[in-house]
Amino acid sequence: MKEFIISEAQTEKAVLVGLVTPEQNEQKVKEYLDELAFLADTAGVDAVKRFTQKMDYPNSVTFVGTGKLQEIKEYVVENEIGLVIFDDELSPKQLRNIEKELQVKILDRTSLILDIFASRAQTAHAKTQVELAQYKYYLPRLTTWNEEMGRLGGGIGTRGPGETQLETDKRHIRARISKLQSELKEVRKIRAVQRERRMKNDVPVICLVGYTNAGKSTLLNAITGADIPANNRLFDTLDTTTRQLTVSDTCQALLSDTVGFIAKLPHHLVETFKSTLEEAAFADVIIKVADAGDAQAAEQLAVTDEVLSSLDCEGIPQLVVYNKCDVANAVAFDPDILLTSAKTGYGLPGLLAKLDDVLGHRVRTIELVLPYDKLALADILRSRGSVAAEEYREDGVFYRATVKIDDLHRFEPFLV
């Protein structure tokens, strides 16, 4: 059986392969291969060469044409390359035929991302999600890396040939997938209860989403004072991280950081990480973070929008933030985009002010005088709002306070 989760960091040379099609022009393929090279580097792989080919659609047998595959083979042999990475997901048949021809290790974009996920997973929840994604990906490809184990089982005294090792492995994987899905279902139930409790306490939730390595964790640290590890590498956050955020004197919220997105993120990966990603679907505000210094920032935001759409987030207020604006070649100012630098602090007060404005409908500042026989209501002012001024008078106690809209009716008879 193939082992999962454990991913050993090692540097090796690789070549990258992309396909130019009517749907993917040369410029787009170059951008995808640049990203694939960054993914490879993240996994400890040195991408030393790129191969591209123009075709109307991928070859169903070998992905690229036979001539291009032979060209890749000659380069691999001559330069002692041990790994070839394809930018699109390969079918089991393509993977089997390419491995047979090239006689080296073959990965596609999905399996490379899964390898990085495996090295990043720290919490039990993240490891469960990664393991499930790995099993779902490898199950239909089992024959490719398990052909040598396809011998007949059984033995003396058995009737018929018995069960093949391949069938045993598939049965085991399906059972494991079912168990992992049940575990994640329980996690989703627990998180649903936690969300209901937050909603009952009327605590707004703000969710950071965006392309991987856009600086979401650094931004969370900068505005909450947290100390979450934040590194310049892909998929550094695989689980939801939540911290308390003081938006303003009158607004407290919870800020959540989520797993980063990437182009061509396979649907089953989105499904597997749904218990993490769906935090965005229940947020009061979504902050879409992009890297201001990345030339593909707009395209990366489009990928973010696609994932959010799949999670039914269209009706939630969304802010666009271009982070890392302190770097060279940062995006020019757009009045609809908030520019920030989590590193220098630039733009953070403006971001908080915008959040306060978006969430402002939840609270209102009032002035009132509570008669002395109604001072029990002051407990609500303090526990569910905030008191800015308090003054004892002859007819009662004067308060200037910020209260939640849901509680306003309690104080209307005492407003001044």
Side-chain angles (χ1 to χ4, degrees):
M1 277 287 296
K2 187 177 178 66
E3 295 294 329
F4 294 112
I5 289 299
I6 298 174
S7 179
E8 297 179 0
Q10 54 183 9
T11 302
E12 55 184 314
K13 293 189 297 182
V15 299
L16 310 181
V17 181
L19 212 57
V20 179
T21 66
E23 288 75 32
Q24 294 183 168
N25 60 30
E26 290 185 22
Q27 177 59 33
K28 183 58 66 177
V29 171
K30 178 185 180 302
E31 293 169 6
Y32 285 151
L33 289 179
D34 286 344
E35 188 172 84
L36 190 66
F38 194 5
L39 286 166
D41 181 67
T42 300
V45 174
D46 182 17
V48 297
K49 176 74 174 177
R50 300 181 182 189
F51 290 91
T52 60
Q53 184 176 24
K54 284 186 178 180
M55 299 180 72
D56 289 337
Y57 47 84
N59 186 303
S60 62
V61 178
T62 54
F63 187 75
V64 294
T66 53
K68 179 62 67 172
L69 193 63
Q70 183 61 35
E71 182 184 344
I72 295 171
K73 181 178 181 179
E74 290 172 1
Y75 183 88
V76 164
V77 172
E78 183 180 342
N79 294 276
E80 298 182 343
I81 304 296
L83 176 63
V84 178
I85 307 174
F86 287 77
D87 189 45
D88 293 285
E89 189 166 306
L90 299 173
S91 71
K93 180 168 73 172
Q94 288 171 330
L95 182 59
R96 183 169 59 251
N97 290 329
I98 294 170
E99 280 190 334
K100 184 178 180 181
E101 180 65 26
L102 300 185
Q103 294 294 305
V104 295
K105 184 164 59 175
I106 306 298
L107 294 178
D108 58 21
R109 174 178 277 250
T110 301
S111 56
L112 179 59
I113 290 173
L114 284 172
D115 184 76
I116 296 170
F117 275 18
S119 68
R120 294 285 188 267
Q122 299 295 323
T123 68
H125 181 226
K127 289 179 180 179
T128 299
Q129 291 182 108
V130 172
E131 186 179 358
L132 177 58
Q134 289 174 317
Y135 277 132
K136 282 186 172 182
Y137 173 80
Y138 283 110
L139 180 59
R141 295 163 176 79
L142 196 62
T143 53
T144 302
W145 49 259
N146 209 24
E147 281 182 333
E148 74 279 4
M149 298 185 71
R151 300 183 300 274
L152 296 179
I156 298 173
T158 61
R159 291 179 179 272
E163 185 177 43
T164 66
Q165 180 65 47
L166 187 60
E167 289 167 344
T168 302
D169 288 349
K170 285 185 175 180
R171 183 161 50 83
H172 172 79
I173 288 178
R174 290 192 183 101
R176 184 63 180 159
I177 286 175
S178 179
K179 184 176 185 298
L180 293 170
Q181 287 175 328
S182 296
E183 290 177 7
L184 290 179
K185 189 175 181 180
E186 287 304 310
V187 171
R188 294 178 72 178
K189 286 181 180 178
I190 292 171
R191 292 192 170 181
V193 171
Q194 292 172 339
R195 279 194 297 268
E196 287 177 8
R197 188 178 299 124
R198 291 199 301 261
M199 292 171 68
K200 185 177 180 180
N201 293 332
D202 205 26
V203 179
V205 175
I206 304 164
C207 201
L208 292 168
V209 301
Y211 222 68
T212 182
N213 204 43
K216 298 185 298 299
S217 296
T218 307
L219 188 60
L220 180 143
N221 287 339
I223 60 178
T224 65
D227 192 23
I228 307 301
N231 303 295
N232 184 31
R233 59 184 193 176
L234 301 181
F235 301 116
D236 205 45
T237 300
L238 290 188
D239 213 339
T240 301
T241 301
T242 302
R243 293 294 183 269
Q244 188 167 348
L245 170 65
T246 299
V247 179
S248 68
D249 292 340
T250 60
C251 183
Q252 295 287 326
L254 293 177
L255 181 64
S256 291
D257 184 16
T258 58
V259 61
F261 306 145
I262 198 164
K264 303 183 184 180
L265 190 65
H267 179 72
H268 75 267
L269 271 183
V270 176
E271 282 297 311
T272 300
F273 280 80
K274 209 157 194 175
S275 59
T276 296
L277 292 172
E278 70 181 1
E279 287 295 311
F282 293 93
D284 295 279
V285 182
I286 293 174
I287 301 177
K288 299 187 293 189
V289 185
D291 184 342
D294 196 311
Q296 277 76 52
E299 288 82 357
Q300 293 171 0
L301 281 172
V303 171
T304 300
D305 286 335
E306 286 178 16
V307 178
L308 290 177
S309 178
S310 73
L311 297 169
D312 299 323
C313 296
E314 287 91 340
I316 300 172
Q318 299 179 10
L319 304 180
V320 178
V321 171
Y322 273 40
N323 192 33
K324 302 185 183 180
C325 71
D326 55 292
V327 302
N329 303 317
V331 68
F333 178 74
D334 183 323
D336 295 325
I337 293 173
L338 292 164
L339 292 178
T340 65
S341 169
K343 182 178 178 181
T344 68
Y346 176 85
L348 299 187
L351 172 58
L352 292 175
K354 187 65 176 178
L355 286 171
D356 192 37
D357 182 55
V358 173
L359 294 171
H361 68 280
R362 293 174 156 272
V363 297
R364 183 171 298 174
T365 300
I366 60 173
E367 292 184 349
L368 70 160
V369 175
L370 289 179
Y372 286 105
D373 62 345
K374 299 293 184 180
L375 289 184
L377 288 173
D379 292 337
I380 296 176
L381 286 178
R382 293 188 175 90
S383 64
R384 291 177 54 80
S386 62
V387 175
E390 182 177 2
E391 178 186 326
Y392 284 81
R393 297 179 178 177
E394 199 172 300
D395 56 343
V397 182
F398 168 82
Y399 293 97
R400 182 182 298 110
T402 299
V403 299
K404 299 181 187 302
I405 293 295
D406 293 342
D407 294 328
L408 189 58
H409 67 282
R410 303 172 185 265
F411 308 104
E412 285 180 347
F414 314 109
L415 297 178
V416 296

